[in-house]
């Protein structure tokens, strides 16, 4: 029998583009794009910082980020950013927001 209670609780929130966009305008938020440098160069959310989750240095880069900020994390479709949020939650980050559907669902300006 499958036990629904044995699954690990999600330590981050999936939020749609509208609320995600509103949060990008708040102080104390950091926008993280966890796609590859090539994807990042092809268009990103304004103010985003690129930390490629596939990079061997991802873990050590994230580990050193301040934990008192709100992190807005996105990728192309929301899968890699969800994984990034899990890693960050395991490292003790508490304010994590994942862009539901990723940048493919982003109706706002990219730069």
């Amino acid at each position: 029998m499958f036990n629904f209670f044995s699954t690990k609780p999600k330590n981050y929130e999936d939020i749609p583009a509208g609320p995600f966009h509103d949060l990008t305008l708040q102080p104390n938020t950091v926008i993280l794009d966890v796609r590859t440098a090539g994807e990042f160069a092809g268009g990103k959310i304004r103010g985003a910082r690129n930390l490629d989750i596939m990079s061997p240095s991802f873990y050590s880069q994230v580990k050193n980020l301040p934990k008192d900020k709100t992190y807005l994390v996105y990728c192309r479709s929301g899968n890699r950013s969800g994984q990034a949020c899990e890693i960050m939650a395991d490292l003790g980050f508490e304010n994590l927001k994942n862009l539901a559907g990723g940048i493919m669902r982003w109706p706002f300006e990219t730069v």
Side-chain angles (χ1 to χ4, degrees):
M1 187 175 110
F2 182 73
N3 180 353
F4 286 101
F5 299 106
S6 69
T7 57
K8 197 171 139 201
K10 253 189 1 188
N11 294 325
Y12 63 92
E13 192 182 353
D14 291 312
I15 60 173
F20 191 96
H21 179 266
D22 293 344
L23 283 169
T24 66
L25 307 173
Q26 298 300 314
N28 221 30
T29 57
V30 178
I31 308 164
L32 288 183
D33 182 324
V34 298
R35 299 176 300 161
T36 65
E39 289 174 293
F40 185 73
K44 64 185 190 300
I45 294 172
R46 182 182 300 285
R49 182 173 164 188
N50 186 213
L51 287 182
D52 179 2
I53 190 171
M54 300 306 184
S55 158
S57 62
F58 179 78
Y59 189 87
S60 60
Q61 287 179 300
V62 164
K63 199 173 62 183
N64 297 317
L65 296 172
K67 295 198 171 47
D68 61 346
K69 300 198 178 297
T70 297
Y71 288 88
L72 308 175
V73 189
Y74 75 95
C75 63
R76 191 182 65 85
S77 66
N79 288 335
R80 284 175 286 175
S81 49
Q83 291 171 348
C85 285
E86 299 246 335
I87 291 167
M88 293 176 76
D90 288 345
L91 287 169
F93 291 86
E94 292 177 1
N95 297 314
L96 298 165
K97 312 289 183 200
N98 181 32
L99 177 58
I103 200 167
M104 293 190 319
R105 292 257 180 90
W106 184 253
F108 307 101
E109 177 195 31
T110 55
V111 291

